Amino acid sequence: MTRVERAPIGVVPTWEEIARDEGRFIYTVAYRLTGSASDADDLVQDVLLRVQRGLATYTPGNLRGWLSRITTNAFLDSVRKSKRRPTDALPEDMDRVLPPSAAADVDSAALRLPEDLQAALLELPVEFRAAVVLSDVVGLSYQDVSDALAVPVGTVRSRIHRGRGRLREILR
């Protein structure tokens, strides 16, 4: 197995390097936030477009923290938009509708959490879910979660504490 060469520290990576090297990371965060492979695919596309636009102003540093922030903001924007949009009714003949399937390597990244835990995450309010996913699933520090969500560290700690408490209640 060959190791992927990454841009040296202090050098801004290209969009292609980010898409290639960090695509799986972005997808994992997106899947944990949305709980759906197709929604995660859409979110990853949105994130990569935002990365392409924002790369000119990116200051080298914590790349994954920056990508987590973009992914979380894109997710929260999509949640806000979906609340404003009416939902379409399902077709009457459900046998004619086939769900899309994810690629095997993408699907395996999404399967790392047990189903009951993923379902419990989806029951959390969006603010708690984002904080818990970024901290406990992605592994960001409280400061990085704070930066990604643009809230104070104390708020992050509170959301994570409350989110974990609700997860315990849901999983019982």
Side-chain angles (χ1 to χ4, degrees):
M1 177 180 244
T2 60
R3 188 165 184 232
V4 175
E5 298 255 346
R6 296 184 189 236
I9 295 175
V11 176
V12 176
T14 64
W15 180 86
E16 290 82 6
E17 290 170 336
I18 292 173
R20 180 190 65 227
D21 300 343
E22 303 297 337
R24 174 170 267 172
F25 171 78
I26 296 168
Y27 179 84
T28 300
V29 174
Y31 184 81
R32 295 296 164 222
L33 290 171
T34 64
S36 161
S38 62
D39 289 344
D41 289 339
D42 292 342
L43 187 58
V44 168
Q45 294 299 315
D46 186 22
V47 168
L48 289 175
L49 288 172
R50 290 178 186 211
V51 165
Q52 191 173 32
R53 281 185 247 131
L55 206 50
T57 59
Y58 172 68
T59 304
N62 184 348
L63 180 62
R64 286 197 165 182
W66 184 65
L67 293 173
S68 296
R69 181 177 192 159
I70 293 171
T71 306
T72 304
N73 287 340
F75 168 71
L76 294 173
D77 290 348
S78 71
V79 167
R80 286 183 206 108
K81 282 182 190 175
S82 70
K83 288 181 180 178
R84 292 189 302 238
R85 273 186 265 154
T87 57
D88 295 335
L90 293 173
E92 294 201 20
D93 185 10
M94 289 302 292
D95 292 334
R96 300 186 87 197
V97 179
L98 296 174
S101 61
D105 61 334
V106 171
D107 216 14
S108 68
L111 296 176
R112 293 192 183 152
L113 286 181
E115 279 185 38
D116 59 336
L117 184 54
Q118 180 63 36
L121 279 171
L122 294 176
E123 289 186 39
L124 293 178
V126 174
E127 298 82 17
F128 294 172
R129 184 184 335 155
V132 169
V133 165
L134 292 175
S135 173
D136 296 343
V137 177
V138 176
L140 295 181
S141 69
Y142 284 5
Q143 183 60 53
D144 290 339
V145 174
S146 170
D147 294 342
L149 299 177
V151 297
V153 174
T155 303
V156 168
R157 288 187 176 140
S158 172
R159 288 179 182 179
I160 290 171
H161 177 74
R162 289 179 182 158
R164 287 174 181 164
R166 286 203 184 170
L167 278 175
R168 278 190 289 276
E169 289 173 13
I170 294 167
L171 291 171
R172 283 190 186 143

